[in-house]
Amino acid sequence: MKYDFYISNFTRIINSDAVPAHDNSGLDLEFGNAEITIKKPYIDADGDQMGNSIFILHDNGLCISMRIESDFLFTFYRENKEDSFKILEAASPEHIRQFAWQTWTAIVDYIEKAEEEGDLEEDSYAAFEKQFGIYGVPYDLERLFEFESEHGGGTYADGFCLTTIDKTGLKTYSEEGSFLRSFIEFATATAGGSTYAIWVINENLDKCPVVVFGDEGGIHPVAKNTEDFLRLLSYDVEITVGWDSVYFYKGEWREEESENREAFVQWLKASLELDPVTTDEEADLILKAASDQFADSLYDFLIKYDIDVDEGFEGLQKYRSFSAFEKNFQGREVPRELVLLYDFQQDHPNYAQYFLLRGYDLSILRNWSENEAFQKAIIPFARATSFGAIYALWDDGSGKETKDMPVVVLDIENGRDVVAENVLQFLRLLTYDIEPVLDGETFKLSNDRDSYATSNNIEAYIEWLMENFGLEPVEEPFEEIIDPAEDKYADAFWNW
């Protein structure tokens, strides 16, 4: 079997033509949050036998080394930089064995496909597809590639062309592996060198936002998903990108449209049932929707890598002040627990996946209901996910203090649910350090927790929670917190 982890199969991978024969740095691959280096055997300057290996590094610190020595195949792992390497065997932790197996099979598939395709032409679909790695090309972009193959790049949307792009431009912002793996550039945005990229915050790329990287600086979300992005292309205007803003402006001077713009508009309607954008105002609405949902999360993501975001995100700052946070409660008492957490947050950003206490324009609640009673009973207080979901308190009308109100999560596109009985239980839930997921009806947490890099200040948060409230971190979030909260409040919340 091709996936069997035997010396013969390992040797076949190492000796593949897809692995450079004259470059001792080997073949570098990226699968999800892991970097893989495959090296043929070689003799170093000291005459020692080197290479003949596969090295896997996950951005959570897990390392796996596969190597042939003296005709024996060895596999070792190390969970953290501080640990020593151990032999990977049947008794090793299940999540490590699963990760090693999944990565090994992905390597086998990649090498097999690379051998079948041989040298890829830069403008071929195989080359375009390769840059999306294990995720695959989003459906909308796959269809767009077919359209562009027939009509030609740069002929239907001003400044735009699907293409293969290496990481050179991204590396001018940061060379951190976790940063580079978080964006997939796939097209030119302007004649000057700006590019469009998918920000990979979900394994399903169709649900990920599209951002633009300006050739002279500036990183901005431009579309919530690929559907909105294709509608922007139909406007047939080159995007303007600066450090502080991004916009489309047609103006009176723009009288000639691209050669195949009309064919693109007709294709968009017939193939994807999407209406074209026809005014600056319509384009601005798409940009604003993307910014409203993703700019807050993108800002925090970029500052983790010391990327200059002083310009372009000024509008977010007003929502991060304590006065803005306090206004969420509309005159009600702010729970002491959240006041203390706000103080902690000022010195310890990134302490739970994408979570952030912040203020909200209460008009955001209209996304769920125009009913005034609904808007008075829901108290938003924090960002829940990279997709713009929010955490809120629910005033069920029984006279509870704010600290004792149940905590709910609201997602514009994927529903709402109860997550904790009260604020303290919710603070315990944050120690699990996993971004929540709503699938339309139910609240979930990732089952693959070990594949996520922990938040920078999660340990400090756990210590803070213990010192201030004597609470231990949660170990079984559903059994300890989520299920009891749903049993107690879910029916009443849904009926309400």
Side-chain angles (χ1 to χ4, degrees), residues 425-440:
Q425 287 296 300
F426 174 71
L427 296 189
R428 281 196 70 216
L429 183 61
L430 292 181
T431 64
Y432 200 63
D433 195 28
I434 285 294
E435 183 179 19
V437 176
L438 282 152
D439 66 357

Side-chain angles (χ1 to χ4, degrees), residues 80-252:
N80 300 290
K81 291 181 180 179
E82 298 77 18
D83 299 340
S84 57
F85 277 96
K86 303 175 184 177
I87 295 176
L88 185 61
E89 53 191 357
S92 298
E94 172 68 16
H95 71 274
I96 294 177
R97 290 189 287 113
Q98 283 294 324
F99 172 69
W101 174 251
Q102 291 168 2
T103 307
W104 164 250
T105 56
I107 291 171
V108 172
D109 288 341
Y110 176 87
I111 294 295
E112 183 177 73
K113 188 172 183 179
E115 290 175 340
E116 290 175 355
E117 295 169 348
D119 293 331
L120 301 178
E121 295 293 334
E122 186 176 344
D123 60 351
S124 70
Y125 181 74
F128 181 71
E129 180 183 36
K130 182 180 177 182
Q131 64 192 345
F132 291 87
I134 61 173
Y135 302 106
V137 182
Y139 174 81
D140 296 328
L141 296 186
E142 186 177 0
R143 300 283 79 77
L144 182 62
F145 190 94
E146 295 173 0
F147 176 87
E148 185 172 300
S149 297
E150 179 181 351
H151 293 85
T155 70
Y156 59 94
D158 192 22
F160 179 83
C161 182
L162 294 174
T163 187
T164 55
I165 302 175
D166 62 24
K167 302 287 187 178
T168 302
L170 286 179
K171 288 179 180 178
T172 63
Y173 291 94
S174 172
E175 295 194 4
E176 289 281 343
S178 55
F179 173 82
L180 298 175
R181 289 192 299 274
S182 295
F183 296 98
I184 300 173
E185 292 175 289
F186 65 88
T188 62
T190 67
S194 299
T195 60
Y196 286 119
I198 289 177
W199 182 24
V200 184
I201 53 178
N202 188 291
E203 291 183 358
N204 183 351
L205 298 188
D206 292 290
K207 294 186 176 181
C208 293
V210 177
V211 302
V212 65
F213 286 85
D215 59 293
E216 296 184 358
I219 307 172
H220 306 275
V222 297
K224 295 193 301 181
N225 50 44
T226 50
E227 281 194 357
D228 277 0
F229 176 69
L230 293 192
R231 292 193 63 226
L232 282 177
L233 294 183
S234 71
Y235 196 39
D236 191 23
V237 175
E238 186 177 86
I239 193 169
T240 299
V241 187
W243 280 100
D244 59 346
S245 65
V246 59
Y247 59 89
F248 291 89
Y249 175 70
K250 181 167 285 191
E252 296 180 0

Side-chain angles (χ1 to χ4, degrees), residues 52 71 268 287 290 364 457 465 468 489 496:
N52 215 13
D71 296 325
L268 204 62
L287 293 174
I364 192 174
N457 288 304
L465 193 65
N468 284 273
Y489 290 110
W496 173 76

Side-chain angles (χ1 to χ4, degrees), residues 376-420:
K376 289 182 179 179
I378 298 295
I379 308 171
F381 67 89
R383 184 179 69 209
T385 70
S386 55
F387 283 83
I390 62 175
Y391 285 119
L393 300 178
W394 174 43
D395 184 350
D396 62 1
S398 62
K400 291 184 177 67
E401 295 183 39
T402 49
K403 68 182 180 66
D404 296 320
M405 292 177 183
V407 179
V408 299
V409 63
L410 306 172
D411 186 299
I412 293 174
E413 297 178 356
N414 297 300
R416 61 206 67 84
D417 207 355
V418 178
V419 298

